């Protein structure tokens, strides 16, 4: 195994392009190292991106968009007041990852690129409309987070492509987001169902919404019908029922050791209701 | 055994001093199984079957052996043949012979100069399998057509016509069952199932083994009982026990699972072949796949009850699989099933069944939690049907001194009634509950154990005392032994040092199992140090020129027994010890026996849960353990045992389970998916120590280690019923199952 510490994302990409065997980028390593120890993945080239300048930065740009470096750890996000105020749902998603120790290393981009359908930060990132910048052999491109996952353990990134940063849009007025997951314990577990809701209100009325489910299909599911159920409503009982029904209907889960199809389908609706209420309260509190 | 018992007026017993092994453990200095190194040491890695049941057609290690640094490969061919009975079972489990019997069964092992290299080499060992049909569920394994795992291995007890996977059959009881059921106002019968659970000890099995071509060897090992390890390893390898010296490391939990061998004989075999010491450390996945979890069970219980709660008759049929080997604990499960109650007619039936799973090992009160789940759930269901208070109903039928136990003998002094009364009086039982919350209670029993025990105590020149014991310290037993020695000698706790010594230093000791250490090793410690005080009285008598009978031992001093004995100032232990070299030589005491005066311990638990009706998620809000300790030597460690048993029982009840795929492979081989409760899943577990002294121990000790895991399974199920209105008769009561039950109820 070769271990690399490139100084730029262009170099990181070039190493990956030239590599012929199994390649992994190393951010926090909380997926990669675990997989190596368990003999699931044994990379021939391990490309550590943490030595690239700027990867630990959290910056609010002039347009109020948030730019987050590729190696920023969960603990740094949950301690960041500005981000917590703007995007509490995204931060609580990332904050659920692992334990205190894992939080010291784990990154948003690692969570995204590991490709788990149950990744906890991805639904809220997608619901927020977050984007990543991708550096590759053909140059740099901006991609919506929602377009990265391709299936369990797979992403849409091409060979040699590496993510250099993640961007959360300006929060603007009347916005609120929330993420909830179901696990059978209180922590140190993998989401059996996850649900993020991001919305905007004018007065009591919801004007924009996005609902994203995790762990109920091979990738996250952006549930358009669920968003429609919310938009124009004041989160009344009818809207909540329609939301829950749409969320459940969008599930394409599997039976496995972590949950059954019936359970995941039911609970997706339950979490959608609960997350929507939290996001709605946050949005109105923030106006 | 004549014992002058003392149950009150203690100076040290019942206090809570710091444990002597505490500082080393919290500073990381204590040496556990994997902390041993030897020069030239090799690392051993096991090759395991990926199939649940498969014929081993060929093992080719040539590629592995061609790697530089690979020193030895062993397969079953490197072990002696002709073993019988349990020795053969153990050998077969440590290294498969012709057939791999479960996913994770060891088929070969390799030793190399580094762990990485050994892991690499293990992957290069080519094993050719012919996959056979498999079965992992106990009920399926008994059905016609189920693959026979070891045809012809059943013992004499099995009636004709049963599936060859049934290894043993037990039937017993007393009283007129038909008359009992006829006399009842309500007869209920249900089937209950429990899944296998793992002890979940934090430290994986580990050892450092050395065995020479002369058949002499040494081993450092994480175990609950090194004489067991010695005997089993020697049997598996065909060497004399005296030639193998085994030293126990500190131990990071065992709960019964470390009373047998898994990697130890294999490490010795690798060492013998390579001519170097070999270290083997299991990974967590190996621990879950290939060490001994509990049996899984399927249980029918039937009970008759009068309107006033009087139990009239009860019948239990217990089916247990203990993996691909006999000895699932049907015996103790049946013995415990109705042990809490005085029932005129009882009948027990048990089937010990093979399945393609790892060989079960002991886990805290083996069999009793499963039996309690069935019986105590049914009792709760009947109390609901008859609108009776579940604690008062238990009290009405409770076993007490003189009751003919469901399993035969007549109970001596026991403390079930006291635990029930304490639970009834506890504020927890009357506390208000909120919406979606419910309360459950249950009782449980474990008979405890005495077992072979050998202890030495030696007096130091300054009057301090070293006690050598053979039972590894899992739950604070050094502190308890030191307290008992201090009490018996009348010297400060700090002046006693307790060492857990190797197999070369004492006679045979059974492991720290069966809740026996504080009872049996404690009894032996008291007797051994009393020999020291007797000898010191003799030295004082010689000095004073009076007969030894005229000298008594009190508060750490030899004193004349009364005015008639003469006027001499007391001689303190330190003074006598300082001059012992000149007054007759070193002084020590030794006691060995197989004490059988152990006393059973009963417990009653109260638990409040809240069930989320939309997700089936159960949170445990409040938990109280009431249990009879006989006498709590070090109350903090007694409480720790109560809490630990409850915590493990809650896990078994709610989320822990062995999940096998259709291919018979274990699907949850890491702690992420084998869901033991994490700290934030549990409330502070309250404890009430009841003390009904055991007449068989000088200070009244009963074992407390195991009973605590017996009531939680049914107590939680009963609470879930109260909270959610659904009865779960299969464990675990995971959220998908509870939600499905809630939906089915409508
Ligand atoms: C004990 C424990 C508990 C956990 N609990 C949770 C949990 O509750 N919820 C959850 O969602 N996850 C959990 N995880 C998984 C893991 O911590 C998260 O997925 C984490 O966010 C991964 O981030 P990382 O920086 O450690 O990724 P790494 O392990 O460094 O990388 C993960 C993957 O992303 C790729 N990658 C990394 N950086 C880039 C980049 N810049 N461009 C392209 N690809 C890249 C790597 O090649 C690799 O495939 C847990 C892990 C552990 C060990």
């Amino acid at each position: 195994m070769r271990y690399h510490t490139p100084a730029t994302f262009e170099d990181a990409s070039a190493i990956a392009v030239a590599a012929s065997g199994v390649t992994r980028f190393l951010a926090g390593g909380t997926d990669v190292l675990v997989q190596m120890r368990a003999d699931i993945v044994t990379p021939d080239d391990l490309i550590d991106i943490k030595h690239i300048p700027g990867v630990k930065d959290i910056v609010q740009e002039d347009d109020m968009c948030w730019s987050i470096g590729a190696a920023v750890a969960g603990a740094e996000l949950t301690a960041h007041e500005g981000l917590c105020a703007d995007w509490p749902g995204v931060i609580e998603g990332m904050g659920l990852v692992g334990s205190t120790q894992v939080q010291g290393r784990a990154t948003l981009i690692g969570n995204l690129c590991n490709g788990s359908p149950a990744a906890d930060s991805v639904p809220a990132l997608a619901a927020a409309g977050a984007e990543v910048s991708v550096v590759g052999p053909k140059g740099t491109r901006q991609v919506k987070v929602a377009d990265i996952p391709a299936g369990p353990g797979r992403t849409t990134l091409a060979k040699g492509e590496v993510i250099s940063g993640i961007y959360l849009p300006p929060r603007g007025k009347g916005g609120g987001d929330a993420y909830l997951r179901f696990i059978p314990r209180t922590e140190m577990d993998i989401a059996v169902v996850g649900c993020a809701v991001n919305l905007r209100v004018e007065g009591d009325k919801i004007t924009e919404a996005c609902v994203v489910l995790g762990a109920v299909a091979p990738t996250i599911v952006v549930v358009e019908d669920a968003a429609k159920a919310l938009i124009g409503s004041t989160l009344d009982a009818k809207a909540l029922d329609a939301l829950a029904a749409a969320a459940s209907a969008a599930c394409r889960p599997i039976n496995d050791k972590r949950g059954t199809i019936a359970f995941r389908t039911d609970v997706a609706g339950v979490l959608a209701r609960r997350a929507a209420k939290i996001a709605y309260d946050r949005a109105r509190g923030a106006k | 055994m004549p014992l002058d018992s003392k149950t009150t007026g203690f100076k040290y017993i019942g206090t809570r001093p710091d444990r002597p092994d505490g500082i080393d453990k919290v500073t990381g200095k204590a040496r556990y199984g994997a902390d041993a190194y030897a020069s030239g040491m090799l690392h051993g890695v096991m090759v395991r079957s990926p199939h649940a049941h498969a014929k081993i057609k060929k093992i080719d290690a040539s590629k592995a052996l061609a790697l530089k640094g690979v020193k030895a490969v062993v397969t079953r061919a490197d072990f002696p043949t002709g073993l019988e009975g349990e020795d053969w079972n153990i050998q077969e489990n440590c290294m498969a012979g012709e057939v791999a019997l479960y996913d994770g069964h060891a088929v070969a092992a390799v030793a190399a100069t580094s762990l990485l290299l050994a892991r690499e080499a293990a992957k290069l060992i080519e094993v050719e399998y012919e996959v056979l049909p498999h079965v992992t569920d106990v009920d399926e394994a008994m059905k016609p057509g189920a693959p026979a795992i070891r045809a012809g291995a059943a013992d004499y007890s099995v009636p004709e016509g049963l599936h060859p996977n049934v290894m043993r059959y037990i039937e017993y009881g007393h009283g007129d069952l038909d008359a009992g059921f006829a006399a009842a106002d309500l007869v209920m019968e249900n089937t209950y199932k429990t899944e296998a659970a793992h002890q979940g000890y934090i430290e994986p099995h580990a050892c450092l083994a050395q065995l020479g071509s002369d058949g002499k060897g040494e081993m450092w090992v994480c175990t609950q009982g090194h004489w067991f390890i010695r005997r089993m390893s020697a049997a598996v390898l065909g060497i004399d026990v005296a030639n193998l010296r085994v030293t126990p490391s500190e131990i990071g939990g065992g709960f019964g699972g470390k009373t047998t061998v898994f990697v130890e004989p294999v490490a010795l075999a690798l060492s013998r072949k390579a001519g170097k010491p070999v270290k083997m450390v299991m990974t967590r996945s190996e621990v879950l796949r290939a060490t001994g979890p509990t049996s899984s069970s399927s249980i029918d219980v039937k009970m008759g009850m009068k309107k006033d709660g009087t139990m009239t008759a009860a019948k239990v049929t217990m089916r247990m699989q203990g993996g691909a080997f006999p000895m699932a604990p049907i015996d103790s499960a049946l013995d415990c099933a109705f042990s809490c109650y005085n029932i005129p007619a009882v009948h027990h039936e048990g089937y010990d069944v093979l399945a393609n799973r790892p060989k079960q090992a002991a886990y805290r009160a083996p069999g009793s939690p499963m039996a309690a789940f069935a019986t105590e759930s049914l009792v709760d269901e009947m109390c609901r049907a008859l609108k009776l208070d579940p604690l008062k109903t238990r009290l009405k039928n409770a076993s007490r001194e003189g009751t003919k136990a469901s399993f035969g003998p007549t109970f001596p002094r026991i403390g079930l009634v006291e635990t029930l009364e304490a639970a009834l009086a506890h504020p927890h039982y009357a506390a208000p509950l909120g919406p979606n919350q419910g309360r459950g209670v249950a009782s449980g029993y474990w008979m405890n154990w005495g077992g072979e025990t050998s202890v030495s105590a030696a007096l130091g020149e300054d009057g301090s005392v070293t006690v050598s014991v053979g039972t590894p310290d899992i739950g604070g037993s050094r502190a308890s032994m030191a307290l008992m020695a201090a009490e018996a000698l009348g010297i400060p706790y700090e002046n006693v040092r307790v060492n857990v010594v190797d197999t070369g230093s004492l006679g045979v000791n059974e492991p720290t199992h069966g809740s026996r250490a504080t009872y049996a090793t404690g009894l032996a410690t008291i007797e051994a140090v009393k020999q020291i005080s007797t000898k010191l009285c003799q030295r004082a008598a010689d000095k004073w020129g009076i007969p030894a009978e005229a000298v008594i031992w009190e508060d750490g001093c030899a004193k004349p027994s009364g005015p008639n004995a003469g006027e001499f100032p007391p001689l303190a232990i330190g003074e006598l010890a300082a001059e012992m070299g000149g007054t007759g030589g070193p002084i020590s005491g030794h006691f060995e026996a197989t004490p059988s005066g152990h006393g059973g311990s009963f417990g009653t638990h109260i638990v409040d849960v809240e069930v989320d009706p939309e997700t089936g998620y159960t949170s445990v809000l409040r938990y109280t353990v009431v249990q009879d300790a006989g006498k709590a030597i070090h109350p903090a460690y007694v409480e720790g045992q109560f809490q630990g048993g409850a915590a493990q029982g809650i896990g078994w009840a709610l989320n822990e389970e062995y999940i096998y795929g259709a291919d018979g492979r274990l699907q949850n081989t890491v702690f992420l998916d084998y869901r033991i409760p994490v700290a934030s899943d549990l409330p502070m577990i309250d404890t009430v120590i009841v003390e009904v002294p055991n007449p068989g121990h000088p200070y009244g000790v009963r074992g407390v280690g195991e009973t605590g895991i017996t009531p939680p399974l049914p107590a939680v199920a009963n609470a879930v019923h109260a909270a959610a209105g659904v009865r779960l008769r299969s464990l675990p009561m995971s959220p998908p199952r509870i939600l499905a039950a809630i939906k089915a109820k409508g």
Side-chain angles (χ1 to χ4, degrees):
Chain A
M1 184 172 59
R2 287 167 297 272
Y3 172 72
H4 310 270
T5 53
T8 65
F9 280 102
E10 285 70 22
D11 288 353
S13 167
I15 296 166
V17 169
S20 54
V22 177
T23 308
R24 284 292 181 278
F25 295 105
L26 184 68
T30 61
D31 280 315
V32 169
L33 296 184
V34 172
Q35 290 160 7
M36 282 168 60
R37 287 195 59 157
D39 279 337
I40 296 168
V41 177
T42 310
D44 300 297
D45 290 277
L46 191 59
I47 308 167
D48 191 339
I49 56 153
K50 289 191 292 295
H51 297 258
I52 300 172
V55 290
K56 280 278 179 190
D57 296 348
I58 302 174
V59 181
Q60 187 158 32
E61 312 286 354
D62 294 341
D63 64 353
M64 303 309 277
C65 152
W66 289 99
S67 161
I68 302 166
V72 172
E76 293 165 295
L77 294 169
T78 51
H80 195 286
E81 279 180 26
L83 270 173
C84 290
D86 273 8
W87 294 105
V90 171
I91 303 304
E92 72 198 353
M94 190 60 206
L96 288 171
V97 169
S99 56
T100 303
Q101 294 92 326
V102 171
Q103 281 287 314
R105 306 291 289 180
T107 66
L108 286 169
I109 294 172
N111 196 227
L112 175 64
C113 295
N114 183 53
S116 164
D120 279 310
S121 72
V122 180
L125 282 172
E131 293 187 359
V132 290
S133 56
V134 178
V135 176
K138 294 182 192 145
T140 300
R141 60 190 181 110
Q142 291 286 115
V143 186
K144 284 202 166 304
V145 161
D147 293 332
I148 296 288
R154 291 187 298 118
T155 67
T156 55
L157 296 177
K159 181 175 161 65
E161 285 192 320
V162 57
I163 294 179
S164 59
I166 192 158
Y167 307 93
L168 281 163
R171 176 68 277 192
K173 270 205 159 85
D177 72 338
Y179 174 74
L180 290 176
R181 71 170 179 184
F182 183 86
I183 55 170
R185 293 182 287 188
T186 45
E187 58 181 340
M188 297 306 289
D189 218 318
I190 286 193
V192 182
V193 182
C195 180
V197 175
N198 176 30
L199 49 77
R200 194 182 303 283
V201 295
E202 265 169 38
D204 287 341
K205 199 160 143 196
I206 299 172
T207 57
E208 290 170 28
C210 186
V211 178
V212 183
L213 297 173
V216 295
T219 61
I220 53 163
V221 185
V222 181
V223 191
E224 311 253 336
D225 286 345
K228 279 187 203 146
L230 293 178
I231 295 169
S233 81
T234 55
L235 207 66
D236 47 286
K238 209 176 122 219
L240 282 169
D241 286 348
L243 164 72
S248 290
C251 295
R252 282 174 286 124
I254 51 167
N255 281 324
D256 72 359
K257 61 193 169 194
R258 298 189 181 126
T260 59
I261 290 172
F263 180 78
R264 288 186 156 111
T265 307
D266 275 341
V267 173
V270 173
L271 293 192
R273 279 172 192 272
R274 294 180 182 178
K277 285 185 196 161
I278 298 169
Y280 186 67
D281 288 345
R282 284 177 179 163
R284 287 187 308 161
K287 81 186 144 174
Chain B
M1 194 177 315
L3 293 166
D4 48 340
S5 295
K6 174 174 171 157
T7 53
T8 52
F10 292 113
K11 185 161 180 199
Y12 299 104
I13 300 302
T15 62
R16 299 169 180 244
D18 288 346
R19 61 195 292 162
D21 48 323
I23 299 230
D24 281 358
K25 283 180 176 165
V26 298
T27 56
K29 261 188 267 167
R31 287 168 73 235
Y32 288 86
D35 295 329
Y37 301 86
S39 61
M41 176 180 97
L42 305 176
H43 297 264
V45 167
M46 209 76 93
V47 178
R48 298 183 179 279
S49 167
H51 304 294
H53 197 193
K55 211 167 167 177
I56 301 167
K57 298 187 72 179
K58 196 171 137 206
I59 300 179
D60 179 356
S62 53
K63 284 187 189 146
L65 285 165
L67 282 185
K68 192 171 174 298
V70 173
K71 300 295 183 187
V73 169
V74 295
T75 64
R76 184 62 172 275
D78 295 277
F79 293 83
T81 56
L83 273 62
E84 284 177 1
E86 188 59 8
D87 285 346
W88 186 87
N89 288 330
I90 292 170
Q91 186 186 50
E92 177 75 8
N93 191 38
C94 288
M95 188 60 74
E98 287 161 19
V99 179
L101 295 165
Y102 55 92
D103 168 43
H105 197 171
V107 296
V110 55
T113 48
S114 81
L115 182 56
L116 271 180
L117 191 61
R119 286 176 57 175
E120 193 61 42
K123 285 182 217 160
L124 292 175
I125 296 178
E126 289 166 2
V127 188
E128 203 181 304
Y129 296 99
E130 177 190 327
V131 176
L132 302 170
H134 67 271
V135 61
T136 54
D137 177 80
V138 61
D139 291 323
E140 293 300 320
M142 289 175 72
K143 283 188 186 155
I149 294 168
R150 268 163 69 188
D155 79 5
Y156 62 90
S157 64
V158 180
E160 265 184 48
L162 288 176
H163 193 285
N165 286 340
V166 179
M167 290 288 107
R168 288 188 302 145
Y169 173 77
I170 298 179
E171 189 193 359
Y172 66 92
H174 61 249
D176 185 337
L177 212 57
D178 293 336
F181 286 127
D185 294 312
L186 175 69
V187 176
M188 271 177 87
E189 180 170 15
N190 280 315
T191 299
Y192 300 84
K193 286 193 87 158
T194 65
E195 230 332 309
H198 196 273
Q199 300 84 353
Y201 32 80
I202 198 71
E203 185 189 7
H205 299 258
C207 67
L208 173 59
Q210 187 160 19
L211 184 58
S213 50
D214 58 357
K216 292 194 172 63
E218 300 221 358
M219 180 150 56
W220 164 268
V221 59
C222 170
T223 179
Q224 288 175 245
H226 32 308
W227 277 268
F228 267 33
I229 300 294
R230 182 178 73 161
R231 172 166 58 71
M232 293 173 187
S233 297
V236 168
L237 292 159
I239 58 174
D240 292 339
V241 289
N243 276 334
L244 185 60
R245 179 177 172 198
V246 183
T247 305
S249 69
E250 289 299 334
I251 172 169
F255 311 105
K258 288 180 184 162
T259 54
T260 184
V261 291
F262 298 105
V263 293
E264 297 80 358
V266 179
L268 286 165
L270 283 168
S271 171
R272 180 166 60 183
K273 204 161 181 185
K276 302 256 184 188
V278 173
K279 180 167 169 174
M280 286 186 92
V281 181
M282 275 186 157
T283 64
R284 180 60 60 185
S285 293
E286 289 185 287
V287 169
L288 287 168
R289 283 170 79 199
T291 64
T294 66
S295 292
S296 64
S297 71
S298 166
I299 308 164
D300 307 327
V301 211
K302 182 176 176 182
M303 186 176 272
M305 206 183 257
K306 291 199 165 151
K307 280 196 186 107
D308 68 355
T310 306
M311 296 173 185
T312 58
K315 178 177 183 306
V316 60
T317 305
M318 176 99 43
R319 297 165 292 270
M320 283 183 156
Q321 69 73 28
F325 301 86
M327 297 313 281
I330 44 171
D331 339 54
S332 49
L334 291 175
D335 285 357
C336 291
F338 301 125
S339 53
C340 291
Y341 304 116
N342 182 3
I343 311 176
V346 287
H347 189 79
H348 308 77
E349 237 183 310
Y351 299 84
D352 177 4
V353 185
L354 299 187
N356 294 111
R357 296 202 191 197
K359 187 179 194 306
Q360 66 83 33
Y363 179 16
R364 264 190 151 137
S368 187
M370 298 83 145
F373 177 61
T375 303
E376 291 293 275
S377 292
L378 184 68
V379 169
D380 193 73
E381 294 189 60
M382 297 184 78
C383 288
R384 286 179 167 276
L386 294 171
K387 301 200 165 34
L388 296 168
D389 178 274
L391 280 182
K392 288 182 187 148
T393 305
R394 284 175 171 80
L395 197 50
K396 191 179 192 76
N397 297 282
S399 296
R400 56 191 82 215
E401 186 171 1
T403 301
K404 182 175 168 58
S406 55
F407 52 94
T410 300
F411 276 120
R413 186 79 177 91
I414 49 172
L416 174 60
V417 166
E418 287 78 358
T419 71
L420 287 163
E421 284 169 347
L424 261 169
H426 197 283
H428 182 173
Y429 197 54
L433 289 164
N436 302 316
Q437 297 178 357
R439 177 165 299 142
V441 298
S443 296
Y445 171 67
W446 187 244
M447 55 290 268
N448 294 330
W449 187 235
E452 284 164 281
T453 309
S454 171
V455 168
S456 290
L459 181 64
E461 302 89 319
D462 59 356
S464 62
V465 170
T466 305
V467 179
S468 301
V469 303
T471 37
D473 181 355
I474 311 184
S477 58
R478 285 187 186 92
S480 298
M481 300 313 147
L483 281 167
M484 286 186 268
E487 189 73 44
L489 278 178
I491 62 173
Y493 168 78
E494 293 73 21
N495 291 6
V496 182
R497 163 132 190 179
V498 180
N499 294 319
V500 182
V501 299
D502 66 274
T503 54
S505 306
L506 286 173
V508 173
N509 275 278
E510 274 188 37
T512 302
H513 71 168
S515 298
R516 72 177 213 91
T518 312
Y519 164 69
T521 308
L523 178 150
T525 297
I526 295 165
E527 292 304 312
V529 301
K530 278 189 181 164
Q531 291 178 8
I532 292 180
S533 56
T534 303
K535 289 176 187 172
L536 287 169
C537 285
Q538 179 69 57
R539 301 279 168 104
D542 292 350
K543 200 167 170 166
W544 291 330
I546 62 173
E549 304 82 67
V551 181
I552 56 160
W553 189 261
E554 218 175 70
D555 295 331
C557 298
K559 296 176 184 171
S561 61
N564 292 344
E567 285 281 319
F568 303 102
L571 272 171
I573 191 166
E575 297 170 65
L576 288 163
E579 51 188 45
M580 69 182 161
T583 59
I587 292 177
S588 62
H590 183 81
F591 186 84
E592 51 201 16
T594 302
S596 57
H598 49 280
S601 173
F602 288 86
T604 299
H605 293 195
I606 313 171
V607 54
D608 296 351
V609 303
E610 180 169 329
V611 177
D612 182 337
E614 292 183 319
T615 64
Y617 176 86
T618 300
S619 33
V620 181
L621 303 174
R622 185 169 179 183
Y623 204 106
T624 304
V625 177
V626 188
Q627 190 183 318
D628 177 15
K631 178 69 205 171
I633 299 298
H634 191 304
Y637 301 146
V638 171
E639 289 160 2
Q641 292 295 323
F642 290 7
Q643 292 166 323
Q648 289 185 313
I650 291 168
W652 197 346
L654 290 178
N655 284 304
E656 291 180 38
E657 63 177 318
Y658 267 52
I659 305 173
Y660 284 94
D663 57 3
R665 298 176 66 175
L666 185 63
Q667 301 209 331
N668 52 338
T669 66
V670 289
F671 274 156
L672 180 58
D673 291 309
Y674 182 81
R675 291 171 157 135
I676 286 178
V678 297
S680 53
D681 289 336
L682 300 173
M684 182 62 196
I685 294 166
D686 286 333
T687 54
V688 178
I689 301 176
V690 167
E691 293 185 322
V692 176
N694 167 26
H697 182 276
Y699 299 153
V701 167
R702 294 173 192 275
V704 297
E706 292 168 283
T707 299
I709 201 173
T710 60
L713 278 51
V716 174
N718 298 342
V720 165
H721 188 170
V726 291
R727 173 59 60 174
L728 278 286
R729 297 194 184 93
S730 267
L731 295 183
M733 294 176 279
S734 54
R737 287 199 180 153
I738 293 185
L739 189 62
I742 291 173
K743 297 243 160 193
K745 188 189 64 163

